[in-house]
Structures are given as structure tokens and as C-alpha cells.
Amino acid sequence: MTLSKIKHVRAFVVRGGGADYHDQGEGHWIDDHIATPMSRYPEYRQSRQSFGINVLGTLVVQIEAEDGTVGFAVTTGGEPAAFIVEKHLARFLEGRDPAEYEKIWDQMYFSTQYYGRKGLVVNAISGVDLALWDLLGKLRQEPVYHLLGGAVRDELQFYATGARPDIAKELGFIGGKLPLHHGPAEGLEGLHKNVALLADMRSKVGDDFWLMYDCWMALDVDYATRLAIACHEHGLKWIEEAISPDDYWGYAELKRNVPKGMLVTTGEHEATRWGFRMLMEMDCCDIIQPDVGWCGGVTELLKISALADAKGKMVVPHGSSVYSYHFVITRHNSPFAEFLMMHPGPTEVVPMFSPQLLGEPVPQNGRLKASALDKPGFGVELNPEVALHRPYTH
Ligand SMILES: C[C@H](O)[C@H](O)CC(=O)C(=O)O
Ligand SMILES: [Mg+2]
């Protein structure tokens, strides 16, 4: 059966939250003195927006078929990614059958390899790939998770990322991941503050609730090792993205150094089967955390996940909202999912990519039924009240 062919690909930029979840207003927990690789400069320590974490904004990719059906997806990458989609990637889709996602991915990746491979270019490729899967689901009138093989369990269970794991526990999540506030440049005093915050949270949530630290690439192996050892008595379940994603050797060392039972996780800034192969073959971590909108999209995540399965590694995607939900429900080696708490407090559950998506499901009591995903494609629509800007055409 041939599907309606792809007529047009369009790329837009949107500001204000959504897929670029760091693009939030003042006073949001996600921009409150969180340790980063830039924390070594005092002027960029208090706010990540001060060094430009939110400069790009959200990329929206729309793919329209000849019968008028439109698939779309959101990711980060903003205007430069919109340029890449319109001026370079669109040619590999227009006039083609949407079911040819393998060939389309291959052509997008290898045609950009001389300036791409990771980062922004792979974000752009991911955005196109996700929009293509959304279109495919809408044309076939099936949710993406059906196209990926169907659910292997009835519901998803989530841990929550945010500044208030104690509230996340009350809301029914299985664990809470805190942002690390102080990096190596804040010395022993900062290290003690990091440990004290975890100890305080542990006293609030009790022994059985998972607590994790997200270090957002801010540390070095020595500091991360000391942090892990000091946090062990407070039951830190995992230490996430402790060092630079380029330092595979450092991750391998950290994994050897952390106390027995503590997990090392990373991968949200890694991309493609080759990047994740490196993480796995160098034994860098226990859980890989590809972001579905950054690692190459669903087409590439299927390959990454198969590799991880064969190596006995869990795949727990970073954020990614519906793009993660439709994937995680189909895989045994993805036993739970992340929910990023985008409420400024964060004291309430609000949709992760709010306000950009309509119909974006949220966990109830830390869980989401597979049936909540039972709509064609990824099951969401673009909020018509969000202002779209199309900087380039082709
Ligand atoms: C909280 C982290 O610093 C970051 O903003 C999100 C992240 O890395 C995660 O959810 O994982
Ligand atoms: Mg993280």
C-alpha cells in the first residue's frame, strides 16, 4: 500500500517554554543557581539564561502530505535548525513516501555529516524524523507506539525532575531528581551544601523513595567521585551527567569510582547509535538517557535501544514528553520514564512542553495508562495560540 506522498516540509521557531524547556520566565526553579560547565565564571553562576541556555528556542517541523494530512514535531534548535530543515533536509522528503523513514534518515544524516554528526544538526534531523513518524501515524490512523511494536505494559511509571522531590512523592512519582546547585568552583562549602540538600530531602521523603542528582556536565571526575561517596549514606540512586559528554574516559573512571550500588547515568547530550555505542563499549554508565528530540529521533532511538538491550543496559530517555512516552511503553529495557516538572515551583504537574502542545498527556499519580496514548501519531496538536515564526522558506 502506498501512502499519500510528502508535499511540503516547513520549519518554524517558537519562543517561551515548550520543547526549549529552559526558556522560562524569572523565578523558575530550572534557572535558580544550577551548576553548569559555565559555573566556573562567577558572572554566569546564578542563572543559566545568563550564558544563553535559552538562545535557540523551539523548532517546530511540519510535514504535509498530498492529501492534506500534517505531521509535526517540536524540539530545540530554533532558527539555525529551521535553516537546516528548510534549506538542506527538506529535499530528502518532498515527493517521497512517508513510510521510507529509514532511507530518509540515512540521507539526512550522511548529507550533513561533514558539518553535523551531533548537536544542533542532529536536533534538526530528530525534529524531522519525529514529524515524519507523527505523519505516518496520522496517515495510518494509529498511535506511534503501535507502529513501534505495541505496548509491553499497561502503563508508564515516572520519576520527576525538579527542585521538590518531597512534593513529587506526594504526587505519586517513584522518585525525584534534583538539580545540583554547586560545582567545583564553589569549593568544599558548595560540596557540603550539595550533600546537605540531599540529606534534607532524604529526611523528608523517607528511605524508599528514589533520589538522584542531575549534574548537567558541571563536574570533574574527582569532584563527582567525592560527591558520590558523600551522598551514598543519603541513598543517592544515581549521579547523572556528572562530567562533559565528550569525556568518555572520565565516565568510565567515574563508574569504577562510585560506591557499589550507585548508578552512573548519562546520554542526554549524546547522539546517534555511534555515540551511544561509545558510551556502552567504554562502560561509561549504567543507564543511557537519550533525548528523543536530540539523539536522532525515533528511527535512531530504535537502533540505540536495540544495542543497549543486547548489552543489558536500560534506556530511560531524557525529557522528550510524548516522544518518549510512545517509545518507553514499547520497550522492556525502558522500565520507567522521566517527567520534567515545568511548573515554576514546582508544586503541580503541568504538561512538559506546555504551552506548545494541545492534548499533551500528564501522569496521574505518577503513572500514565497506555490508553492515554491512543490517538493517531503522537496524539498531540500544535497549540494555535502559540505564535509561529518561519524565518526561512525553500
Ligand atoms: C535539571 C537539569 O539541570 C536540566 O535542566 C534537565 C535535565 O538535565 C534532565 O531533566 O535530565
Ligand atoms: Mg539530565
Side-chain angles (χ1 to χ4, degrees), residues 167-348:
I167 293 179
K169 186 182 178 196
E170 284 166 21
L171 292 168
F173 290 94
I174 55 174
K177 188 171 78 188
L178 283 160
L180 188 81
H181 289 289
H182 308 281
E186 289 174 84
L188 209 50
E189 195 188 337
L191 181 68
H192 288 151
K193 284 187 189 164
N194 289 331
V195 179
L197 176 65
L198 181 73
D200 178 53
M201 259 323 143
R202 177 57 71 205
S203 72
K204 292 184 167 121
V205 300
D207 286 345
D208 296 337
F209 190 69
W210 300 354
L211 286 176
M212 296 76 91
Y213 250 142
D214 189 316
C215 309
W216 213 74
M217 310 168 276
L219 312 180
D220 52 53
V221 176
D222 176 58
Y223 189 100
T225 302
R226 286 189 292 135
L227 179 71
I229 291 169
C231 287
H232 190 44
E233 67 170 295
H234 306 295
L236 188 71
K237 185 175 175 67
W238 76 59
I239 180 165
E240 175 168 325
E241 223 191 7
I243 59 176
S244 163
D246 287 325
D247 191 358
Y248 302 99
W249 307 267
Y251 274 105
E253 191 182 339
L254 179 63
K255 186 165 176 293
R256 289 193 297 270
N257 290 353
V258 295
K260 204 166 169 2
M262 188 182 291
L263 306 176
V264 173
T265 72
T266 193
E268 69 185 72
H269 295 104
E270 188 54 83
T272 75
R273 74 202 81 153
W274 300 285
F276 283 94
R277 177 177 172 183
M278 186 80 116
L279 280 181
M280 290 185 265
E281 291 198 350
M282 287 191 63
D283 204 13
C284 293
C285 58
D286 300 283
I287 300 180
I288 58 165
Q289 301 170 304
D291 185 295
V292 192
W294 304 343
C295 71
V298 161
T299 304
E300 194 61 5
L301 184 55
L302 288 168
K303 298 180 170 77
I304 294 165
S305 163
L307 202 58
D309 199 9
K311 291 194 179 281
K313 298 275 180 208
M314 279 190 264
V315 181
V316 180
H318 166 253
S320 323
S321 180
V322 288
Y323 308 113
S324 162
Y325 310 159
H326 278 261
F327 180 79
V328 170
I329 198 91
T330 68
R331 290 294 178 276
H332 282 298
N333 62 326
S334 302
F336 55 90
E338 174 178 16
F339 188 74
L340 251 165
M341 297 286 282
M342 293 321 301
H343 182 272
T347 51
E348 289 168 32

Side-chain angles (χ1 to χ4, degrees), residues 70-74 134 138 321-323 325-326 353 356-361 372-373 375-383:
V70 179
F72 87 100
V74 295
D134 189 51
K138 284 175 173 155
S321 180
V322 288
Y323 308 113
Y325 310 159
H326 278 261
F353 284 176
Q356 292 168 1
L357 305 180
L358 290 185
E360 185 183 357
L373 306 174
K375 290 184 198 149
F378 287 107
V380 287
E381 294 304 325
L382 203 51
N383 182 351

